[in-house]
Structures are given as structure tokens and as C-alpha cells.
Amino acid sequence: MKRATLTLAACVLAACAHAATTASLKPSRGDCSAAFLDAIARVRAAGGGVIELEKGAYHFAAGTAPKHVFHVSNHDQSPDHPVNLPFVGVTNLTLRGHGSTLTFHGATIGVLVRDSAGVRLEGVKLDWSRPFITEMKILGFKDGKTIGRIDKSVFPYAVENGHVVAVGEGWKSRVPWGMVFRGDTHEIVER
């Protein structure tokens, strides 16, 4: 009986190993959203596998991320959230980046892992074309007002009705408040 159980277990493991797939992707100057979504779908359908990236830069264009409904703690809630890499309902998926950079354009959540098991991201750097947080260097104070400078090449912005508005690809957001950090230690300045 013990031998039959071991043989059955070996057959099940062999079937699982056979079902796993490898999806290989190469860097592109254009949008790679569809290629990644297709690779995730193929690995999900196979019951596991690897998405193997040739080292390089991968871009996800603004407006291409599928929307998902979930709650993000400590945030204002929108009815849905655009997610570039939705690892939802997948098992034993490894994204192997070999030092690649994934750059997300627009107001998106880069990665979502939900209702999944055994998901690994290896050797990838996640970045956004325009950070959601705008940084301003405080230059001084005059007449009860803060004098500051924002590097517009890194943090594009506009001034609308006397308020600073952060501007990104396909989005803009009024900057209603700020936090002060020390320039030398990056620690929060109290009060």
C-alpha cells in the first residue's frame, strides 16, 4: 500500500511539473502590458510556471491596466483600481526579471497578488514614470509663508486657483498638505 501511494504521488507531481509553463518576454520600446497579461493568463491556465524576462526595460502605458475592485487600507477609496500586473487566482508563478526594470505610466498600482499561492518576483525593479508624491525643497520662510522649489522635470505640476496640482500621464491631483523631512537624515520633522 505504501508503494502504491508513493507511485500515485510521483505521478501527480510529474503531471503538475508537466503542466507548468514558461513564458519568455523581451524588452520593447513600446507598451508591454498585453504581453505581460497574456503571460500571466498562460501560467494561470497551466497551473504554474515562470515568466522569464530578458534583462532590460519594460514599460506599461497609461490607461492599459485592467481595473480590479479591492480595499486599500489608509487610503481614500475609489470604486476600482487599475493594476498593471494582477496576479489573481494564480498558483506557483515566478516572475524572473534578471535585473529588469518595470516602469508604470499613469496612476496605477503596479502589482496585485490576491487569491493566489506561491507567487514570487525575483530580480525586478518596480518604478513609476512620475512619482505620486511631489517633493519640494524648503528654501526659507517669509511673511508667514514657506518658500520652496519643486523640480518640475521630476515632479511636473501646475498652479490652479492658487494651489499646487501634481500632473502625471492621464492624471492630476491637488496637493492639499505636506510632510516635512530633514534633508540630511530623511527623518520626519515633528510639528
Side-chain angles (χ1 to χ4, degrees):
M1 188 69 161
K2 194 177 209 181
R3 184 174 182 180
T5 303
L6 289 174
T7 302
L8 178 61
C11 289
V12 169
L13 288 173
C16 289
H18 179 69
T21 189
T22 299
S24 299
L25 299 176
K26 294 184 178 192
S28 169
R29 292 183 182 172
D31 176 40
C32 64
S33 299
F36 272 84
L37 293 173
D38 179 61
I40 292 168
R42 285 189 282 146
V43 172
R44 180 186 303 110
V50 176
I51 299 174
E52 195 86 37
L53 305 183
E54 184 178 300
K55 184 177 181 177
Y58 296 81
H59 291 268
F60 297 79
T64 59
K67 294 188 176 185
H68 293 264
V69 177
F70 56 91
H71 178 80
V72 179
S73 64
N74 201 29
H75 282 72
D76 293 334
Q77 295 305 307
S78 58
D80 49 35
H81 305 279
V83 178
N84 297 101
L85 297 175
F87 298 113
V88 178
V90 298
T91 304
N92 299 326
L93 181 149
T94 299
L95 173 64
R96 208 170 277 140
H98 301 285
S100 295
T101 299
L102 310 182
T103 302
F104 307 113
H105 298 260
T108 66
I109 294 173
V111 176
L112 168 66
V113 178
R114 187 178 76 199
D115 301 329
S116 299
V119 175
R120 294 177 52 97
L121 277 66
E122 301 173 351
V124 291
K125 176 184 173 189
L126 307 179
D127 202 358
W128 277 258
S129 61
R130 199 279 190 213
F132 296 118
I133 304 297
T134 299
E135 293 181 14
M136 177 179 78
K137 183 174 184 174
I138 296 174
L139 303 175
F141 306 93
K142 183 176 180 183
D143 300 327
K145 295 188 180 189
T146 303
I147 310 298
R149 183 182 72 235
I150 299 172
D151 183 346
K152 204 168 190 173
S153 67
V154 179
F155 306 103
Y157 70 93
V159 177
E160 296 178 0
N161 299 323
H163 298 281
V164 175
V165 176
V167 178
E169 294 171 85
W171 66 273
K172 65 181 184 173
S173 177
R174 185 171 168 233
V175 181
W177 53 270
M179 293 180 73
V180 180
F181 294 85
R182 289 179 51 111
D184 55 351
T185 64
H186 305 288
E187 295 172 320
I188 295 173
V189 176
E190 293 186 35
R191 299 185 196 141

